[in-house]
């Protein structure tokens, strides 16, 4: 036997008594409001002091797991052979030929200076190695290849200190720097500048939206104040996290925007409910208690959905995503706690003055339906529900069309082109790509720690010959000589000794393909597939990209399962229905994939660039951003679903009329969800003003996902689906109904 939720029509004339734990908490905070506000102030000051130094403690990189074969190869190269693919490249330009006397002397001096720097594994240049591939065709530019020791974070910090002493004029030479370590350093500096710009842009726009929503300057200022408290807490949390784990430099931009946006959103709903309760005739204390019992409960539940969605990032063993998960989870908790704990004493202090300085009050009184409950959103809901197939089907087809570009998505790891066009590192990298062959600065490396060339010269020679015969191979440098096209191109010389140490050897395999392209990935796989005479590890940029994408694709189903199962369970506990959770999951997936398709169209294919500002178009998307974007946007989408469903369910329990409940829920939350979505889209969209394409992509994608969800999905698809399903919306099998009756989430 199956059942639906039983409606319980309300009786009585006055406001019902307010009960429940949250209501009791509200009364305590109201009764002790002065002490509560003093504690909030002291905590905020302490958090500000703790978080003041957070920027200097953040780390760069973190896109590849430590267990990856390419990372193990890099460690072996650095530890056993004092070698490895360079992570800092100096592009040196001379007034004349780089081989002339004065320029050559300055080049050797520069190379020696870099090599003598503590933390530098090696520095190899055209002048020290006499390698013609490190000299441009016109003879005026040469490269210095530098390997900085340590992991990504350590090499980034070393580059940040070393590079300023190297770039610029050195006698007849002009020096620019690039390479992964320098790109990370410049990205860090740019993200700090972008954060300040985003804050300056988002704060006034948020206040304007709040003022337009509430009309009252007093009411509008409360969510903004709670948002500031949340941001201060965010800085402190990130600073504490840096003591326990590496935290990405981008965490500050992303979590600050997320924390501020959610804190404002949560406060927006509580303040709105408080005004409704005052209008219903409650006292200030009882209005605060009723607001916290209803809207506060929904805020906590919504925060839980966002937390669970972000927790899916923890399945990926890279600290870029994991640090964002740790920080994001705590920041969401701070946003919800700030709303639930800070607002009640503030509301009690303000009391009935919540509507002071309401410049839009006369206008709202004249708006049709402003007091009757038959406003814009009520009429929209009925319009949609009169033609659910036509309107709902049309919107679904539109979203499905937006999904199509995502089927052609191509992914790669971040490189110098994430930086703004014309930045120092990006210009230097363009020079390398134009005047040298990029793969020469990022070869595929093959490490054979137990293949001693002194004992296994024939095996090593045969292996190097076969490697050089792989299509697209330009040359293979090894301890037994240099090979090309399956033949010995140059016998072993003094430089070949660097390829052997500790009873093992390594080979540098240079190709003519871009290591960040699909061809580069295919080439790295071909090298790994070639039978070797001993155990080998294959590394380099192309191999690193292969390892990262393999790890992400392997863990992605687990992340999706965590999100799907947790959302289905939570929405069941919230609604008592098995239909509503499934419907919301499908609608969320449709809206998110539509935003992904739009991002491919803009950022991968390069269309409509004027909407987001200029960036270097590579024809690929950064591989980790869609995963991060999905987890954040899915949580936000469920967040708005909960706010809408809470009011629909509330009315359905009171009347038993599904159609009326949908219209009521739309009317009560439509304006607020729209305002909340505009605020979150504004705060996250401010990231799109960043000069870094990775933040631009994330900000624009999240803003679009939120707006699609709040308009097309919540405004059109949800009422259409609710009308088509009718009473079936609230269906659940009898055993699950009994389970919900015992463990379900209720007002009390």
């Amino acid at each position: 036997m199956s059942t639906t939720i039983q409606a319980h029509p309300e009786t009585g004339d006055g406001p019902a008594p307010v009960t429940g734990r949250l209501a009791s908490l509200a009364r305590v905070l109201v009764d002790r409001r002065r002490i509560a506000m003093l504690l909030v102030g002291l905590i905020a000051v302490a958090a500000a002091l703790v978080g003041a130094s957070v920027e200097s403690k953040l780390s760069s990189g973190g896109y590849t797991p430590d267990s990856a074969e390419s990372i193990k190869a890099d460690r072996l190269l650095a530890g056993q052979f004092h070698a490895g693919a360079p992570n800092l490249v100096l592009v040196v330009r001379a007034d004349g030929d780089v081989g002339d006397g004065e320029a050559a002397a300055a080049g050797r001096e520069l190379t020696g200076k870099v090599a003598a720097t503590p933390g530098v594994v090696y520095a190899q240049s055209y002048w020290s190695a006499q390698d013609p591939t490190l000299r441009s065709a016109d003879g005026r530019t040469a490269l210095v290849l530098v390997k900085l020791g340590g992991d990504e974070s350590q090499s980034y910090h070393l580059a940040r200190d070393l590079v300023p002493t190297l770039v610029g004029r050195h006698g007849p030479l002009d020096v620019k720097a690039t390479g992964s370590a320098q790109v990370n350093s410049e990205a860090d500096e740019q993200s700090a500048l972008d954060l300040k710009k985003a804050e300056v842009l988002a704060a006034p726009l948020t206040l304007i939206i709040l003022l337009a929503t509430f009309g009252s300057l007093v009411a509008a200022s409360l969510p903004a104040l709670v948002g500031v408290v949340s941001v201060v807490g965010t800085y402190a949390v990130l600073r504490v996290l840096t003591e326990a784990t590496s935290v990405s430099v981008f965490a500050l931009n992303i979590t600050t925007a997320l924390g501020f946006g959610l804190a404002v959103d949560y406060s927006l709903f509580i303040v709105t409910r408080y005004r409704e309760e005052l209008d219903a005739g409650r006292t200030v204390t009882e209005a605060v208690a009723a607001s916290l019992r209803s809207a506060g409960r929904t805020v906590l539940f919504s925060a839980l959905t966002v937390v669970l969605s972000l927790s899916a990032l923890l399945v990926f063993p890279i600290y870029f995503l994991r640090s964002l998960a740790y920080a994001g989870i705590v920041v969401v908790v701070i946003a919800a706690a700030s709303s639930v704990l800070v607002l009640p004493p503030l509301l009690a202090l303000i009391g009935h003055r919540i509507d002071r300085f309401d410049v839009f009050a006369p206008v709202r009184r004249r708006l049709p339906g402003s007091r009757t409950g038959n406003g814009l959103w009520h009429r929209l809901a009925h319009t949609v529900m009169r033609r659910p197939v036509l309107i709902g089907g049309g919107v679904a087809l539109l979203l499905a069309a937006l999904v199509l570009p995502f089927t052609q998505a191509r992914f790669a790891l971040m490189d110098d082109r994430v930086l703004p066009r014309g930045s120092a590192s990006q210009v230097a990298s363009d020079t390398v790509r134009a005047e040298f062959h990029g793969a020469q600065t990022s070869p595929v490396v093959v490490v054979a720690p137990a293949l001693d060339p002194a004992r296994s010269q024939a095996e090593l020679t045969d292996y190097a010959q076969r490697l050089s015969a792989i299509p697209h191979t330009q040359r293979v440098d090894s301890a037994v000589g240099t090979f090309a096209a399956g033949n010995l191109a140059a016998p072993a010389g003094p430089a070949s000794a660097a390829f052997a140490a500790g009873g093992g050897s390594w080979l540098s395999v240079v190709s003519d393909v871009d290591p960040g392209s699909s061809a580069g990935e295919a080439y790295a796989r071909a090298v790994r597939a070639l039978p070797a005479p001993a155990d080998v590890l294959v590394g380099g940029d192309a191999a690193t990209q292969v390892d990262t994408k393999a790890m992400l694709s392997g863990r992605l189903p687990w992340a999706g399962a965590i999100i799907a199962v947790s959302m289905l369970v939570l929405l069941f506990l919230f609604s008592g229905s098995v239909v509503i959770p499934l419907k919301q999951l499908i609608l969320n997936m449709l809206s998110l994939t539509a935003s992904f398709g739009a991002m491919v169209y803009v950022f991968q294919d390069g269309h409509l660039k004027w909407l987001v500002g200029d960036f270097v178009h590579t024809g690929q998307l950064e591989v980790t951003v869609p995963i991060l974007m999905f987890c954040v946007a899915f949580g936000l989408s469920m967040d708005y679903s909960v706010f809408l469903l809470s009011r629909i369910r509330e009315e359905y329990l009171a009347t038993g009329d599904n159609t009326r409940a949908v219209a009521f829920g739309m009317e009560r939350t439509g304006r607020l969800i729209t305002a909340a979505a505009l605020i979150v889209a504004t705060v996250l969209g401010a990231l799109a003003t960043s000069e870094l394409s990775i933040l631009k992509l994330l900000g624009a994608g999240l803003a679009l996902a939120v707006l699609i969800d709040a308009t097309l999905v919540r405004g059109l698809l949800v009422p259409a689906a609710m009308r088509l399903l009718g009473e079936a919306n609230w269906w659940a099998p009898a055993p699950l109904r009994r389970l919900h009756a015992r463990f379900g989430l209720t007002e009390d």
Side-chain angles (χ1 to χ4, degrees), residues 33 112 214 245 252 272 276 288 314 395 412 416 419 425 485 506 546 551 561-562 567 607 616 674 699 708 746:
R33 52 187 174 271
F214 287 122
T245 184
L252 194 59
T272 300
E276 290 180 8
V288 173
L314 295 175
V395 173
D416 63 278
L419 297 170
S425 187
W506 69 282
V546 170
M551 179 275 297
I562 289 172
M567 293 303 115
H607 302 295
V616 180
T674 302
I708 288 176
T746 65

Side-chain angles (χ1 to χ4, degrees), residues 326-636:
Y326 294 137
I329 288 169
V330 180
V331 162
V332 172
V333 172
I334 289 175
S338 299
S339 303
V340 170
L341 299 177
V342 175
L343 271 180
L346 278 175
L347 291 171
L349 287 172
I350 292 172
H352 289 280
R353 292 169 292 181
I354 190 71
D355 289 324
R356 291 285 295 274
F357 309 112
D358 191 346
V359 294
F360 298 123
V363 177
R364 277 203 308 277
R365 279 195 294 269
R366 291 194 295 269
L367 287 175
S370 62
R371 296 292 183 184
T372 65
N374 295 316
L376 170 65
W377 290 98
H378 187 276
R379 295 193 300 273
L380 176 63
H382 277 293
T383 299
V384 173
M385 287 189 287
R386 280 195 296 269
R387 301 174 182 83
V389 175
L390 177 64
I391 296 176
V395 173
L397 287 175
L398 173 62
L399 293 178
L402 289 175
V403 171
L404 292 178
F406 189 62
T407 61
Q408 303 300 318
R410 297 183 296 274
F411 302 104
L413 285 173
M414 184 181 81
D415 62 13
D416 63 278
R417 289 167 289 190
V418 72
L419 297 170
R421 192 186 306 277
S423 63
S425 187
Q426 197 263 323
V427 170
S429 292
D430 279 348
T431 301
V432 173
R433 280 187 285 266
E435 300 187 27
F436 302 84
H437 203 284
Q440 294 174 356
T441 61
S442 53
V444 172
V445 293
V446 181
V447 185
L451 188 61
D452 189 345
R455 299 179 180 178
S456 308
Q457 182 175 354
E459 291 88 342
L460 182 57
T461 299
D462 174 69
Y463 184 51
Q465 286 177 326
R466 287 187 287 116
L467 282 172
S468 70
I470 295 176
H472 298 289
T473 302
Q474 289 189 323
R475 73 174 192 275
V476 175
D477 296 322
S478 71
V480 292
T482 297
F483 297 82
N487 298 303
L488 180 66
S496 302
F499 291 92
S505 62
W506 69 282
L507 305 93
S508 173
V509 186
V510 179
S511 72
D512 60 4
V513 296
D514 180 356
S517 65
S518 57
E521 293 180 39
Y523 184 77
R525 293 191 187 97
V527 171
R528 283 179 170 172
L530 190 71
D535 291 336
V536 298
L537 295 172
V538 177
D541 290 347
T544 297
Q545 183 159 298
V546 170
D547 291 341
T548 301
K549 292 172 76 170
M551 179 275 297
L552 293 175
S553 61
R555 299 297 181 98
L556 196 57
W558 292 101
I562 289 172
I563 291 176
V565 172
S566 61
M567 293 303 115
L568 289 173
V569 170
L570 279 178
L571 284 179
F572 166 73
L573 293 176
F574 185 78
S575 66
S577 164
V578 296
V579 176
I580 285 177
L582 288 171
K583 174 173 63 68
Q584 292 304 129
L585 198 65
I586 294 170
L587 294 181
N588 279 12
M589 288 294 296
L590 185 59
S591 65
L592 287 181
T593 50
S595 62
F596 284 170
M599 292 303 97
V600 169
Y601 186 76
V602 175
F603 286 91
Q604 176 180 292
D605 299 340
H607 302 295
L608 303 177
K609 290 174 67 173
W610 57 271
L611 284 174
V612 294
D614 187 39
F615 59 91
V616 180
H617 171 229
T618 65
Q620 296 171 310
L621 299 179
E622 206 288 325
V623 66
T624 59
V625 169
I627 295 172
L628 175 61
M629 185 174 140
F630 179 85
C631 292
V632 174
F634 198 97
L636 293 175

